[in-house]
Amino acid sequence: MSLSDDQIRRLARLARIAIGPEETAEVARRLNRVLGLVEQMRAVDTAGTEPMSHALDLVQRLRVDEVTESDRR
């Protein structure tokens, strides 16, 4: 997927970023590289992979949720 100059200008306006006409080509090149990376990641088959919240199997130690101070208002 590649972005046109009109789409780049629209994205810049929505993001409230000032992009000059001479910068449009460079911004388009960088955004197209990011979109290409996203397409590569979508191509990976993750059918049997279980979702995880962290790369390591860690357990978060939490304190007991109990009232320790009374409401003084």
Side-chain angles (χ1 to χ4, degrees), residues 7-55:
Q7 291 172 324
I8 297 295
R9 284 191 293 273
R10 183 167 185 261
L11 286 171
R13 184 177 50 84
L14 290 172
R16 296 183 178 165
I17 299 172
I19 295 178
E22 66 282 350
E23 297 173 308
T24 306
E26 178 63 22
V27 171
R29 186 185 65 78
R30 289 181 180 190
L31 285 175
N32 287 328
R33 284 182 58 198
V34 170
L35 292 175
L37 179 61
V38 170
E39 289 298 321
Q40 286 180 359
M41 291 170 58
R42 283 186 179 170
V44 175
D45 182 24
T46 59
T49 306
E50 181 180 336
M52 57 185 169
S53 61
H54 196 276

Side-chain angles (χ1 to χ4, degrees), residues 49-61:
T49 306
E50 181 180 336
M52 57 185 169
S53 61
H54 196 276
L56 300 175
D57 191 21
L58 300 175
V59 178
Q60 180 72 28
R61 293 183 296 173

